[in-house]
Amino acid sequence: MGKKRVYEFAKENKMASKDVLEKAKNVGINYSSHMSSMEDKEVEQLKKAFSQKSKSAGSQMKSNNSKKTKQNNTTSIKKANENNTASNKQADRPKKEHQNNAQTNKNSNVKQASQNKQTNKNNEKNSQHSKGQTNINNKKASSQTKNNQKKATSSASTGKANELPKRTTDEKQKQSFENKRRRSSRQHRGIHGGPAGARKRKGRKNQKPKGPVTPRKFKELPEILEFTDGMTIAELAKKLHREPAEIVKKLFMMGIMATQNQSLDKETIELLATEYGIETEEKVQIDLTDFDTFFEQEPNEDNLVTRPATVTIMGHVDHGKTTLLDSLRETKVTEGEAGGITQHIGAYQVTENGKVITFLDTPGHAAFTTMRARGADVTDIAIIVVAADDGVMPQTVEAINHAKAAEVPIIVAVNKVDKPGANPDRVMQELTEHGLIPEDWGGDTIFVQISALLNKNLEDLLEMILLVAEVEELKADPKRLAIGTVIEARLDKSQGSIATLLVQEGTLHQGEPIVVGNTFGRVRTMTNDKGRRVQEAKPSTPVEITGLNGTPQAGDRFVVFKDEKTARQVGEARAIDATEAQRSVTNKVTLENLFDSLEEGELKSVNVIIKADVQGSAEALAASLEKIEVEGVKIDIIHTGVGAINESDVTLASASSAIIIGFNVRPTVQAKESASREEVDIRTHQVIYNAIDEIEAAMTGMLDPEYEEQVTGQVTVRETYAVSKVGTIAGCFVTDGVIKRNSSIRLIRNGVVIHEGELSSLKRFKDDAKEVRNGYECGLTIEKYNDIEVDDVIEAFEMVEIKK
Ligand SMILES: Nc1nc2c(ncn2[C@@H]2O[C@H](COP(=O)(O)OP(=O)(O)OP(=O)(O)O)[C@@H](O)[C@H]2O)c(=O)[nH]1
């Protein structure tokens, strides 16, 4: 038996590897990780150190659970601090405890004093993010944080004030409603501004001496003025318990002219508050449609509990990713569940030593990166599978780089060790070049040699995952409203949209209002990875849900809201935002926008993908298309293939801004869906020439059109009438061709062009005319031009595009 490793020692002594590492450090032994091997002498030394510790910590070390021990210690430290007895014991404790201690000490006064209050608040805050306004204003807003104490006392005195820094959604909704009302009332006043304003002024003049119409009870100024940027004077007046007129006056004295309904900026409001001698606190409005708000929310430390790790398996093609996922699923999932049949929902959980691990069921870094690209970082640990008989391959390197880019810890699973040509050492050697050095060679990467096919060493792999998870200290707050990420989503004929969600924080319950990506709804049903209906899903748990009004996409994030109304509003707003965003970035090439793309210099060649019923037609079409060249713009065939246009063609087209031409083939349903989502242009034809013509026409159309002037007719001015408000009307006779209402004109006097412009009216007798032909009389006026004289000649012309 070889040397003992740190994690084995930890396991034997029923404690966390992390604690062992720390203790070792304290006694002067530096292990690089939990995989480090221990000298016998060190084992003894550590045992001694721990037994001393257990003496000094009293009965607490007796606890079996190492985590518990840590917590117990911390709580006891807290207590000790409170009693001011901690200092005697400190020398004995490991470094981390010192840190804890110091921190607790530091925090204890401030924290402890406010904690009761704060905890309640936080609880409320965290568990009710649908109520929107979180404590952000505490962080960002208050320009006067020094005033916190004051605030505390004032808020303590009134229950309502106590809640103020935390804006609830109700308040937020009220606020946005208020804003709308304000806007509409402003508009209203805009329309009826005169009379309303006048009435007010009159009223004030007449009634002021007699006192206000609605006598207001005198109220003290608030101690803190809570405001939002852009508040109106009227709104501020309410907050300040003062008449708006008084504020208008005050501002006037400060040199700021403003009316009651005028919005004031932050600086002015702060100035005004200074005038009144009170402090300000800005309330920052949270945009509920921005999910970052929920994902970046400070956790409520008191609620944090350990959560399962989420693992993604990556590696080169055929190195055994799927086999590993299947083996783990078959041996581990079904094992624990009597008659359990695993469902493919995109993720599943296995239990090892009573601890749960969540595996994402889509192997490969493409899915991993797509998720990341959409802002979803769900993976905690990456397993890089490398076949021992094949070694490090291009996609192995890619996978390593993807994992490194995501800053996710890596475990290497050297697979297929059962194979005759297996050479695990070579794999290790090759991986060192990519920064993955095994523990035995002085590095800190965990390598496990497995055979996914024969289920060999899978337990070891799971144990290592648990070990890394433990070191990572993965925690989540199950008490808040759930947030997380879509793992998979599809449209089902009978059930509608089905999405697999991975809960990342909070607990998801059946029936909750939810916004998923740009869709929303209520969680109608929840099914777990074993196909069982469940009522709730805790952090790191994947569940399949129904009840959404649309189908989200993998990698979309979800947020649960307290009430359906907010969920609907947020969902609808996000859908609108997404449509607008999509509209503004239409960079996909379609035959329609081909010309614009070329004009902006984005394209020098047009990428085309050809799918045909037989290879011969595909090649013929490709050859013909490649011959088209219009003004230096060429066709570039990036892919040809036989068979229906599938999703992969669309993905390729989307990634390379290509147009897909189908000859005698149609797109599959999925391809059609994905093409409309990705805005990929698919053109299908039965006749080769039509396909060529269409492309050629589009390419011709996309070239800069050239125009030439075409004179359509001539008229002579016979009379002129000066009409006030209209200008000069010319009574004319069409001597040649035709003059149209939308013609451009040139006014010629004695052979000299004296004006060029547009008509502003053209009439036959009293009626407006679209055009007047040769031999008829007409009346006309010229836009913004009145210097028309009898015998002037008016030439009508049009700019006509020259066909190439
Ligand atoms: N001998 C042996 N063969 C294995 C082992 N693991 C996987 N294989 C075989 O290797 C081949 C590829 O395995 P997959 O699991 O499909 O590999 P993959 O990495 O998922 O491949 P892609 O999905 O194409 O990326 C299959 O024929 C497996 O049976 C193993 O441990 N030992």
Side-chain angles (χ1 to χ4, degrees), residues 316-324 363 415-419 450-454:
H316 192 72
V317 186
D318 278 352
H319 278 200
K321 303 178 290 288
T322 313
T323 311
L324 176 58
N415 191 27
K416 306 196 186 181
V417 289
D418 59 293
K419 276 193 140 181
I450 59 163
S451 166
L453 195 67
L454 307 180

Side-chain angles (χ1 to χ4, degrees), residues 7-266:
Y7 77 91
E8 287 167 339
F9 176 87
K11 206 170 162 189
E12 267 174 25
N13 291 285
K14 299 198 170 77
M15 53 183 84
S17 315
K18 213 163 22 67
D19 292 345
V20 177
L21 288 175
E22 269 164 23
K23 191 79 198 169
K25 216 181 210 172
N26 282 344
V27 296
I29 315 169
N30 267 332
Y31 295 121
S32 58
S33 78
H34 32 72
M35 287 294 289
S36 307
S37 26
M38 305 169 81
E39 297 294 333
D40 293 345
K41 144 170 132 253
E42 291 169 355
V43 172
E44 284 312 309
Q45 204 178 343
L46 271 173
K47 273 189 183 159
K48 216 182 267 168
F50 274 112
S51 69
Q52 266 170 18
K53 185 187 168 190
S54 69
K55 260 181 241 158
S56 72
S59 61
Q60 280 169 17
M61 266 305 277
K62 276 184 199 158
S63 161
N64 283 347
N65 185 326
S66 57
K67 289 251 159 175
K68 241 188 222 162
T69 311
K70 208 170 85 188
Q71 276 164 12
N72 285 345
N73 278 343
T74 325
T75 27
S76 79
I77 291 162
K78 270 192 192 162
K79 277 192 190 135
N81 270 331
E82 278 162 21
N83 300 329
N84 293 328
T85 54
S87 54
N88 300 337
K89 296 184 180 177
Q90 276 179 10
D92 250 343
R93 290 196 183 101
K95 205 171 161 196
K96 178 124 191 204
E97 288 178 22
H98 275 293
Q99 280 166 2
N100 282 343
N101 210 345
Q103 221 166 348
T104 325
N105 250 332
K106 221 199 289 169
N107 293 341
S108 63
N109 297 339
V110 192
K111 224 175 168 184
Q112 224 35 56
S114 63
Q115 217 166 26
N116 299 337
K117 218 186 290 167
Q118 197 65 36
T119 311
N120 287 341
K121 260 190 213 173
N122 277 345
N123 278 344
E124 219 176 291
K125 172 186 88 184
N126 285 330
S127 65
Q128 304 195 355
H129 65 224
S130 80
K131 286 201 153 194
Q133 191 82 12
T134 61
N135 228 350
I136 272 196
N137 38 353
N138 275 350
K139 241 196 294 165
K140 276 198 197 165
S142 173
S143 52
Q144 317 285 343
T145 36
K146 60 180 168 7
N147 209 38
N148 272 353
Q149 275 178 330
K150 240 194 226 172
K151 195 177 90 192
T153 41
S154 83
S155 51
S157 61
T158 63
K160 204 176 168 202
N162 213 359
E163 280 171 20
L164 275 173
K166 161 178 70 70
R167 291 273 318 274
T168 62
T169 304
D170 291 350
E171 281 174 11
K172 197 184 157 209
Q173 280 172 342
K174 248 186 252 159
Q175 176 74 40
S176 71
F177 189 72
E178 192 68 7
N179 286 343
K180 259 189 229 147
R181 191 188 53 73
R182 199 193 303 157
R183 238 178 280 135
S184 72
S185 86
R186 235 178 279 155
Q187 275 165 3
H188 193 70
R189 284 216 172 85
I191 298 163
H192 307 289
R199 218 181 302 136
K200 238 195 185 121
R201 268 196 296 282
K202 230 190 267 165
R204 226 176 16 232
K205 227 186 246 168
N206 295 343
Q207 291 172 12
K208 205 149 198 191
K210 290 181 218 155
V213 190
T214 46
R216 246 186 219 214
K217 259 194 226 157
F218 179 79
K219 273 197 197 163
E220 286 293 338
L221 284 165
E223 268 186 75
I224 299 168
L225 169 64
E226 288 189 347
F227 70 96
T228 50
D229 199 1
M231 259 185 160
T232 63
I233 293 184
E235 287 163 343
L236 283 166
K238 239 184 228 165
K239 292 238 164 215
L240 291 165
H241 315 307
R242 291 291 181 271
E243 287 295 328
E246 183 188 311
I247 296 175
V248 172
K249 200 165 138 195
K250 204 149 203 124
L251 286 170
F252 181 77
M253 303 303 279
M254 290 156 60
I256 301 162
M257 309 282 265
T259 58
Q260 275 194 38
N261 299 308
Q262 205 163 323
S263 296
L264 299 183
D265 61 16
K266 187 178 157 182

Side-chain angles (χ1 to χ4, degrees), residues 18 24 28 138 157-158 170 180 208 245 376-377 401 417 439 446 453 501 507 533 558 599 709 719 723 742 746:
K18 213 163 22 67
N138 275 350
S157 61
T158 63
D170 291 350
K180 259 189 229 147
K208 205 149 198 191
D377 270 332
N401 293 338
V417 289
E439 181 69 33
I446 299 177
L453 195 67
L501 308 182
T507 301
R533 282 286 164 92
F558 76 82
E599 203 182 32
E709 184 190 304
E719 302 274 358
V723 179
N742 58 2
R746 223 170 256 133

